[in-house]
Amino acid sequence: QFPFGRRLPCDIYWHGVSFHDSNIFSGQVNKFPGMTETVRKITLSRAMRTMRDLFPLEYNFYPRSWILPEELPLFVAEVRTMKDSNPSWKPTFIVKPDGGCQGDGIYLIKDPSDIRLTGSIQSRPAVVQEYICKPLLVDKLKFDIRLYVLLKSLEPLEIYIAKDGLSRFCTEPYQEPTLKNLHQVFMHLTNYSLNIHSGNFIHSASANTGSKRTFSSILCRLSSRGADVKKLWSDIISLVIKTIIALTPELKVYYQSDIPAGKPGPTCFQILGFDILLMKDLKPVLLEVNANPSMRIEHEQELSPGVFENVPSPVDEKVKVAVIRDTLRLMDPQKKKRKDTQLTLSVLCCRCQSPERAPGASEEPPDAAPGPEAALPSLCLKQVFPKYARHFSYLRLVDRVAALFIRFLGVKGTTKLGPTGFRTFIRNCKLSNSNFSMAAVDILYIDITRRWNSMGIEHKESGMCLQAFVEAFFCLAQKKYKALPLHKQVLSLLELCECRLAALHGKRLVWGCG
């Protein structure tokens, strides 16, 4: 630890909360720039909505969401319409403050009129979602799953999932929401930081008992009941990959802003906490993504009034120590050097060997010693991308839109596209014509940018943000390819833009040579 700053460069920098060090020019940092902002509830909900607009069936694992206060009239209108079309529908909704954590400020409602319209909703925006009323129960208790996901690299995309996670239980038997039990947080909210204050909370002495258990113990229990655990894992892996694909466009914009291409800077990796709920039919539902999941492996125990001590938690230790250990093993900068050294030794050994080597003689150099990995258990982190990339690459349309956005940003270190950059994009891709003049281009830019900048989001600079550019791109695609579904409209426009930009680049190379 360097409380007063450091003088020498490091191989790995481990930051506590977020990426905040502009003096790192090499090595690896355990946080991505902008990750905290990208996984906030509102930004995550917007990213998932964009993907759901493109691929409705692939992104049905995230609850339907509305953003407050800006979408309150829309929320009221849509709920009224659904109730009119189905009078027996009696929904429950959950309201979550955008920047909240550990269950702070979360509450359940039965009707849009129950939203607490105080001054805080303006200063502290929130997301309201459909509440999952029929979760899978174990011992009559609701629980969620905390899975640890390592985003090892953004470009190329590389994702690992821990083979075990935590199951965090409520502390009161679950009942479907009614007006009488809506406020019983120990029944409806699985947050550990809330339930630990319940008199029914049981500190786990083993992996399969208590209020916090290993996910593997739940899987064993489900398997013994005949559940298809392999399919469940497959669905969870799919959920994780699709969520990361939804988040990467925004992350890439932040990344090029903090670590511009061509300048010295670190590479980044990050451990994320995915909170997942299982429905009765074992369908996984994404609740949220945590950019800074707790890695504590102990809890406080009160010995006497006001006197506490830290007691080890066997369940936390089993899962979290393995995640940290194996993250460091995967990111170890010396690992490649050792591999290169071993390869050189092997080549030298082969060259020096006599053709008449005795049968059964060792292939290893005589002084070869087992590496440090030999004493460690097998990796608990399983690579899922690019391993399964061919199943998911077609979903990465917004990634390609973000690449266009970054290309026309112009000034390195910025995250907003100015009007000149937007006009250059239109001109270079030859998207203006008699039906869509450059004056119409300016109006589109002003209208969309003004609306996004009025949404109460914190903006350090003026201009068009990535989400606004994506909306504008979708609008252009819908104008140009009216007969196609949205994802094909966007794909067609992407291919057109990429083709024309490639041709323009080729012409410039020829002009340069000339």
Side-chain angles (χ1 to χ4, degrees), residues 403-424:
L404 293 175
F405 176 80
I406 291 168
R407 178 172 181 155
F408 289 96
L409 279 175
V411 181
K412 286 184 177 180
T414 185
T415 61
K416 297 290 184 65
L417 184 68
T420 304
F422 189 70
R423 288 172 67 93
T424 306

Side-chain angles (χ1 to χ4, degrees), residues 249 393 396-405 491 494-495 498:
S393 293
R396 303 187 70 182
L397 294 184
V398 183
D399 236 22
R400 291 162 67 181
V401 176
L404 293 175
F405 176 80
L491 178 61
L494 272 169
E495 289 173 344
E498 289 165 351

Side-chain angles (χ1 to χ4, degrees), residues 456-475:
I457 311 165
E458 293 179 11
H459 293 298
K460 296 177 182 177
E461 52 191 303
S462 61
M464 177 180 267
C465 63
L466 174 64
Q467 300 101 319
F469 181 78
V470 169
E471 183 182 326
F473 194 90
F474 284 16
C475 180

Side-chain angles (χ1 to χ4, degrees), residues 149 159 161 236-245 274 276:
V149 174
I159 308 167
I161 298 181
I236 288 173
I237 289 170
S238 175
L239 177 153
V240 168
I241 293 173
K242 289 173 182 177
T243 302
I244 296 289
I245 285 174
F274 272 64
I276 296 168

Side-chain angles (χ1 to χ4, degrees), residues 3 44 94 112 165 195 199 277 286 381 409 413 421 450-451 485:
L44 174 64
I94 184 166
N195 282 281
L277 188 73
L286 178 67
L381 294 168
L409 279 175
R450 185 180 292 161
R451 182 156 44 78

Side-chain angles (χ1 to χ4, degrees), residues 121-133:
I121 200 71
Q122 301 295 332
S123 58
R124 193 183 184 192
V127 168
V128 57
Q129 297 177 322
E130 288 183 88
Y131 180 76
I132 309 299
C133 292

Side-chain angles (χ1 to χ4, degrees), residues 60-74:
N60 63 358
F61 57 82
Y62 189 68
R64 191 172 184 186
S65 308
W66 296 265
I67 294 159
L68 303 177
E70 67 200 59
E71 292 180 350
L72 179 59
L74 176 66

Side-chain angles (χ1 to χ4, degrees), residues 352-417:
C352 296
Q353 281 211 356
S354 165
E356 293 86 17
R357 182 169 57 85
S362 172
E363 299 273 352
E364 299 263 336
D367 296 326
E373 293 276 323
L376 293 171
S378 60
L379 283 171
C380 79
L381 294 168
K382 173 186 177 181
Q383 191 197 74
V384 296
F385 201 96
K387 183 176 181 180
Y388 303 124
R390 63 189 180 91
H391 300 293
F392 299 94
S393 293
Y394 72 98
L395 299 173
R396 303 187 70 182
L397 294 184
V398 183
D399 236 22
R400 291 162 67 181
V401 176
L404 293 175
F405 176 80
I406 291 168
R407 178 172 181 155
F408 289 96
L409 279 175
V411 181
K412 286 184 177 180
T414 185
T415 61
K416 297 290 184 65
L417 184 68

